[in-house]
Amino acid sequence: MKVILMSRADSAATWAEELRRQAPDLDLRVWPDETEGVDPAEAAYVIAAKPPPGEIAKLPNLKAVLSLWAGVDHITGDPDYPRHAPIVRMVEEGLTRGMREFVLAQCLNAHLKTYEFVQQQRQQLWRPEIRGRHGTEPLVSDARVGILGLGVLGSDCARALTAVGFRVAGWARREKRIEGVDCRCGPDGLQAMLAQTDILVNLLPRTPETEDILNADLFAALPDGAYLINVGRGEHLVEEDLLHALDTGRLAGAALDVFREEPLPGKHPFWTHPKVTVTPHVASITRVRTGVERLVAAIAAFERGETPPGVVDPSAGY
Ligand code: NAP
């Protein structure tokens, strides 16, 4: 039983080292250097981060494809993906905590207008009033955060934001119950949430239903001066609609971590837009030690004939 690590990232060697440390009995082969001459029929598991299209289809006897990332659109989006084996998305503590820290920071930055003060500094401007009238500056308890997606990451961020004192609502496909969070679902639920959202956080997976969801209609449903934080996927955002909403003052600003094209091309208007903060897809990544613990546990579960957590529903795409 062979396990193929299929990652084009520089970190492949680090993953292989930790996998061999935690599971020395695993017959691990790093693609492509260590898979030459290996019979494709012997591959039982693929551990993948953005596998090249068509490569997984060459392995006919897979028991599962284990994603190194929480989002699996890089696997389901492969037109040749054979759907002969379940996909397991990454759910692990380090990834969840990293996203919590990033989203908390961006919500606080939006609330405190940190990036507007950075712009002011560049122009040597002293305008404290952008935080509100002196003595009535809003506190987090005045700020309403709406989260698109209440899955592993969205629900964790919702709880953390609630604990800090934000007023938090969230939207998912199915009904949810999270203490202190106004949970919504369905098209009406979305509109109701958007109408009461000052800071919108996108933590949806990329599926055919969610692509382009951050568009002019959605921005029109937000109160004037709302702020967007996109940590989902670049394909969720209609970029021209965002630029228009920022330039007309509909939205106050946006913190963008993910893009249709990554790295973001040099001439892209987001780089220099005064109301946009760009981060290079760093909101959260899988931590190697805890991530490998999950991978090893998932393989063990399959070998016992059990289903590990995080198996993707192929009809929903996440
Ligand atoms: P998850 O546990 O699968 O949660 C997805 C959530 O989205 C669920 O609440 C789901 O609703 C909701 N959803 C899906 N389709 C929907 C639709 N059509 N309408 C309404 N709600 C919908 O995923 P996760 O682990 O939280 O990760 C979310 C995403 O974050 C990933 O897919 C990835 O794209 C992104 N991500 C980004 C980074 C980064 O560094 N920027 C890092 C990690 C992950 P139900 O609960 O009803 O199923």
Side-chain angles (χ1 to χ4, degrees):
M1 178 188 93
K2 294 193 168 36
V3 178
I4 313 289
L5 174 63
M6 198 179 276
S7 166
R8 286 173 293 181
D10 299 342
S11 56
T14 313
W15 282 98
E17 192 184 326
E18 183 64 14
L19 278 158
R20 287 181 171 128
R21 195 186 68 78
Q22 287 194 31
D25 296 338
L26 223 56
D27 188 355
L28 181 75
R29 306 297 175 97
V30 181
W31 176 92
D33 296 348
E34 297 171 9
T35 52
E36 234 168 82
V38 169
D39 179 358
E42 285 180 35
Y45 298 94
V46 169
I47 296 170
K50 230 176 176 182
E55 282 302 319
I56 292 180
K58 294 177 187 165
L59 310 171
N61 294 328
L62 284 183
K63 296 183 189 175
V65 177
L66 311 175
S67 173
L68 288 174
W69 293 358
V72 294
D73 46 313
H74 55 295
I75 298 171
T76 55
D78 175 355
D80 293 325
Y81 182 72
R83 303 187 193 285
H84 60 313
I87 301 173
V88 184
R89 54 194 206 83
M90 181 54 76
V91 179
E92 66 92 11
E93 191 198 339
L95 177 70
T96 306
R97 283 173 51 192
M99 185 59 81
R100 183 193 311 163
E101 291 171 10
F102 189 89
V103 168
L104 270 178
Q106 293 296 22
C107 286
L108 284 168
N109 284 332
H111 168 67
L112 297 171
K113 303 197 187 295
T114 310
Y115 299 123
E116 289 178 51
F117 286 116
V118 170
Q119 291 292 333
Q120 280 197 22
Q121 180 186 347
R122 292 205 178 108
Q123 300 165 62
Q124 297 189 4
L125 291 173
W126 186 273
R127 286 191 188 145
E129 67 276 9
I130 64 166
R131 280 237 48 224
R133 205 157 49 81
H134 190 61
T136 64
E137 291 90 343
L139 294 166
V140 287
S141 50
D142 302 306
R144 301 165 301 180
V145 180
I147 305 178
L148 298 172
L150 285 175
V152 173
L153 301 179
S155 62
D156 181 81
C157 289
R159 286 190 191 92
L161 288 160
T162 305
V164 169
F166 282 103
R167 290 158 62 186
V168 183
W171 182 69
R173 208 156 56 95
R174 295 161 289 194
E175 273 183 34
K176 289 263 162 342
R177 226 173 245 252
I178 303 172
E179 204 186 324
V181 179
D182 180 10
C183 297
R184 310 276 184 151
C185 64
D188 293 346
L190 177 61
Q191 293 308 312
M193 183 182 88
L194 293 174
Q196 297 180 51
T197 291
D198 303 311
I199 302 170
L200 183 69
V201 178
N202 176 40
L203 266 168
L204 288 167
R206 178 189 173 194
T207 69
E209 282 75 42
T210 63
E211 259 189 57
D212 295 337
I213 189 169
L214 302 173
N215 60 32
D217 290 343
L218 180 142
F219 300 144
L222 290 165
D224 265 340
Y227 192 95
L228 172 70
I229 297 169
N230 188 18
V231 281
R233 285 285 182 262
E235 288 80 0
H236 288 136
L237 176 65
V238 181
E239 297 182 345
E240 313 79 68
D241 289 3
L242 174 64
L243 288 167
H244 187 256
L246 292 169
D247 293 341
T248 54
R250 183 96 269 285
L251 293 189
L256 307 176
D257 184 59
V258 285
F259 305 90
R260 285 183 186 262
E261 191 179 343
E262 296 180 0
L264 187 65
K267 289 207 164 75
H268 199 289
F270 286 160
W271 279 119
T272 50
H273 198 290
K275 293 181 178 175
V276 173
T277 300
V278 168
T279 49
H281 201 145
V282 291
S284 192
I285 53 163
T286 310
R287 269 50 179 191
V288 176
R289 185 183 56 77
T290 38
V292 166
E293 282 170 13
R294 294 302 292 236
L295 295 169
V296 173
I299 291 173
F302 279 117
E303 290 301 304
R304 289 193 303 269
E306 296 167 9
T307 305
V311 172
V312 170
D313 170 358
S315 62
Y318 68 96

